[in-house]
Amino acid sequence: MTNTYKPKPLKTFILRDPKTRKISKSDFRDRIIHHTLYNIIEPIFQKTFIHDSCANQKGKGNIFAIKRFDKFKREVSRNGKQKGWFNKNQTKGYCLKADIKHYFEEVNHKILINIIKRKIKDKNTIQLITSILKNYHNKEKGMPLGNLTSQFFANIYLNELDYFVKHKLKAKYYIRYVDDFVILHESKEQLEIWKKEIQQFLKNKLKLELHPDKSKIIPLSKGIDFVGFRNFYYFRLIRKRNLKNMLTKVKNFRAKEISKEKLLEILQGWQAYAKWANSLKTRKCVVKQIYKPIN
């Protein structure tokens, strides 16, 4: 109310589960501010998000994204009735699988604030948002992983891309999960054109770029790595990294580094996730490893 609030310095640590990430944690009192701000402005922006923006929103998530991917996959191939589907040498459609390079590190503060100002006119609120953004090692760009506000602002920033893809390119089969997105189409050539247009849009409007190694056009028949699963046309597999991570937890239990209660808690969450893949045999194997006699 007096415009004297300043966030405390972030506490940074490294998290190596499932992959190495640098997490910057806000002080408890600052997290209260983040949640309060989010509770007020989230409903304003929620109305603007497209249906197939799947991350960090109520009623959505990776399972929602998987279901939408399955639906789009069937529609692109016309349920396997696409011309030439009976020829095993012909594909049933293609997928542009893309990833934005170093996304959270590259979000431009000035561009983000200008986007937010379209909906939020109150100067004090804008000042508060600015102070949260600048409480980072880089004062001009980037947001810390681990903050609720970072996840929310990430959706606001890439909502610009969502509108470009849906309304300018008129891509019907588009799904985004944070900075990963897919576009499905029966034509590889069309996806090549859209990929170039997206690259230009990201560069010119948002000062971002696609990851050169993780942004490719892949036949649906080859399997698409998206939101934790390897999605093939007729079945779905758990990613090898995810399975390896679970087996590491089992190994830690057998070495008495974690308790059985903790392992079973982890297993319950993992099985709820893994059941969305064709994984019955794999899940039984993991359980067998847990109860295997320790020599």
Side-chain angles (χ1 to χ4, degrees), residues 15-71:
L15 190 66
R16 292 185 171 85
D17 184 12
K19 60 182 179 181
T20 301
R21 293 175 296 169
K22 185 168 76 171
I23 306 296
S24 296
K25 185 178 179 181
S26 294
D27 186 80
F28 180 74
R29 68 153 198 161
D30 295 325
R31 296 204 300 275
I32 293 174
I33 298 293
H34 296 170
H35 279 261
T36 306
L37 175 67
Y38 174 83
N39 289 341
I40 297 298
I41 69 173
E42 188 272 342
I44 298 170
F45 287 95
Q46 178 63 44
K47 299 172 185 176
T48 71
F49 295 155
I50 67 168
H51 184 65
D52 292 310
S53 170
C54 302
N56 306 315
Q57 296 185 63
K58 295 173 185 175
K60 296 185 179 180
N62 61 344
I63 302 306
F64 177 88
I66 283 298
K67 290 179 178 179
R68 295 296 285 172
F69 184 90
D70 283 348
K71 182 178 185 293

Side-chain angles (χ1 to χ4, degrees), residues 241-258:
R241 186 174 68 191
N242 184 279
L243 176 58
K244 184 179 178 181
N245 185 52
M246 185 62 220
L247 290 174
T248 299
K249 295 288 195 303
V250 175
K251 185 178 179 181
N252 291 342
F253 160 69
R254 295 180 66 80
K256 298 184 178 181
E257 294 176 9
I258 61 174

Side-chain angles (χ1 to χ4, degrees), residues 157-172:
Y157 203 74
L158 283 184
N159 194 40
E160 302 295 301
L161 172 65
D162 297 343
Y163 272 70
F164 175 75
V165 173
K166 295 294 290 184
H167 299 294
K168 182 70 174 179
L169 302 184
K170 299 190 183 300
K172 186 177 180 181

